[in-house]
Amino acid sequence: MTIAVTAVSLLHHRFPADFCWGVATSAFQIEGAAAADGKGASIWDQFCQLAGAIKDGSNGDIACDHYHRLESDLDLIASLGVDAYRFSVCWPRVQPLGAGAWNPAGLDFYERLVDGLLARGIQPWLTLNHWDLPQALQEQGGWAARATVHRFVDYARGINQRLGDRLTGITTHNEPWVMAVLGHQLGIFAPGIKSRAVAAQVSHHLLLSHGLALQALRADGCKAKLGIVLNMSPAMPATDSAADLALAQMHDARDLRWYTDPLFNAAYPAEVLAELGPDAPQIEAGDMAHIATPMDYLGINYYTRHVASAGQPFDAKALGLPVTDMDWEIYPQGLTELLLRLHRSHVLPPLYITENGGAFKDPLSDGQVHDADRKDYLQTHIAAVADALDQGVPMAGYMVWSLMDNFEWASGYEKRFGLVHVDYATQQRRLKDSAHWYREFLQRCHAADHRARV
Ligand code: IFM
């Protein structure tokens, strides 16, 4: 016990002075204002209308009403003492049809957001696509259509023209695997399509648009750091049987290497192309080289590992292992293992953990949330990042998912990931114990940095 407390209290000593600490959100999950000031519809506005699509029957119409509470939410972010805030732009808010005319009110909102962050000394990290594609583009084929790649590049250039000079980082896409597989293969996320072939084509177009956007932004003189964010749950075999090992390797190839191999080596894993057969994506000459355009950083979203079992499905909860309210196993050492393995396999740019956190029940009592489980989750995962740093992995930052409770996609508002509790009836924000802990931890990090400098 004493050892654990000491380790936690010394955790801040394990990070370099320029390590970037932040919190993250996305537009659809917090903004609300679904039809305000000329905003167009997104595929998530549309998807939420489908009966049964969202567990609690909710939608993003109001969410955390962040659009109307920008100034006080910026103060809230600043009160945590973070270095960086990762947010996304809602494409149909700034360009309602995904092509052609821009919406001045939407652009003004993000300008106030960026300037408000800078005025508070916080680095803006902007994500261009956190899943809310304009519905108008979906009606022309969405990400399955190659034309959307070019619409995205135009959109990226427009955002850069307006905001690029004040951004620290730009992420092209958040979690292409989720958009491709959950959105187009399993159909449980927007746009609700169920086709392996479409999903494969979508993943290729997302990666291609990433590479082309990087090239276009650099040609336009963009100085922000440019990269992509991948969700990664490293696959591990349930037992050392040959069947489990083979399955884990296949999961790794489908879910991780399908993205990292083209980004770093300009090729899809051969075994996945073979498995897809006629469902493999159409790839035009030059596409793979575009995808492998060098990045300034790679963002990694880590929540849990994937345990591959050829027999009974692995069920961490049933086995009595620690899980979050999403029933995701809490497995911090998987983060260190993942980072070391990436470091061994590739020449990496700086790595940022762009999302990490947990959903927990979070009962509110006397205006407080004593979320010891989230605090433990964050401490053990931050320690896992420190372990990777100690072993030479080029870690540059860590951002908590999420700043505040928000719309958790198909789970609606039932799952709470925030450092800050949101009362959806009143929109009151309250710092949970984990937020107080994170703030104190960052104060210690920054005080140690200050001492190191003087
Ligand atoms: O809420 C999501 C986020 O939008 C993307 N990464 C995972 C989070 C938790 O499910």
Side-chain angles (χ1 to χ4, degrees), residues 29 130-131 174-175 301 303 328 355 401 408-409 417:
Q29 293 177 274
H130 199 122
W131 311 350
N174 181 71
E175 301 182 350
N301 295 351
Y303 290 90
W328 297 346
E355 287 182 24
W401 184 270
E408 178 52 25
W409 308 109
F417 273 91

Side-chain angles (χ1 to χ4, degrees), residues 227-256:
I228 194 168
V229 166
L230 303 177
N231 54 301
M232 294 191 178
S233 298
M236 301 176 189
T239 68
D240 53 14
S241 74
D244 286 353
L245 282 169
L247 193 63
Q249 272 172 9
M250 202 57 205
H251 268 287
D252 182 64
R254 283 190 208 123
D255 302 342
L256 255 96

Side-chain angles (χ1 to χ4, degrees), residues 38-41 91-103 134-137:
K39 174 185 168 291
W91 183 353
R93 192 181 294 290
V94 296
Q95 198 181 29
L97 300 179
W102 293 83
N103 177 24
Q135 176 62 22
L137 289 185

Side-chain angles (χ1 to χ4, degrees), residues 186-198:
L186 303 180
I188 56 174
F189 276 19
I193 291 168
K194 292 184 184 164
S195 158
R196 186 174 79 156
V198 172

Side-chain angles (χ1 to χ4, degrees), residues 234-307:
M236 301 176 189
T239 68
D240 53 14
S241 74
D244 286 353
L245 282 169
L247 193 63
Q249 272 172 9
M250 202 57 205
H251 268 287
D252 182 64
R254 283 190 208 123
D255 302 342
L256 255 96
R257 287 181 41 229
W258 184 257
Y259 298 91
T260 51
D261 281 12
L263 287 165
F264 290 109
N265 300 331
Y268 287 113
E271 62 273 45
V272 184
L273 286 173
E275 183 186 53
L276 285 169
D279 290 343
Q282 287 178 14
I283 302 170
E284 295 190 6
D287 284 2
M288 300 313 294
H290 291 312
I291 292 173
T293 302
M295 296 184 278
D296 299 319
Y297 71 94
L298 174 66
I300 295 169
N301 295 351
Y302 178 85
Y303 290 90
T304 188
R305 63 171 170 166
H306 175 90
V307 179

Side-chain angles (χ1 to χ4, degrees), residues 44 60 67 80 91 121-122 142 199 217 230 232 291 338 364 406 439 441:
W44 270 93
Y67 184 80
L80 296 175
W91 183 353
I122 300 167
L217 294 183
L230 303 177
M232 294 191 178
I291 292 173
L338 167 71
L364 186 64
N406 56 49
R439 177 166 63 186
F441 170 71

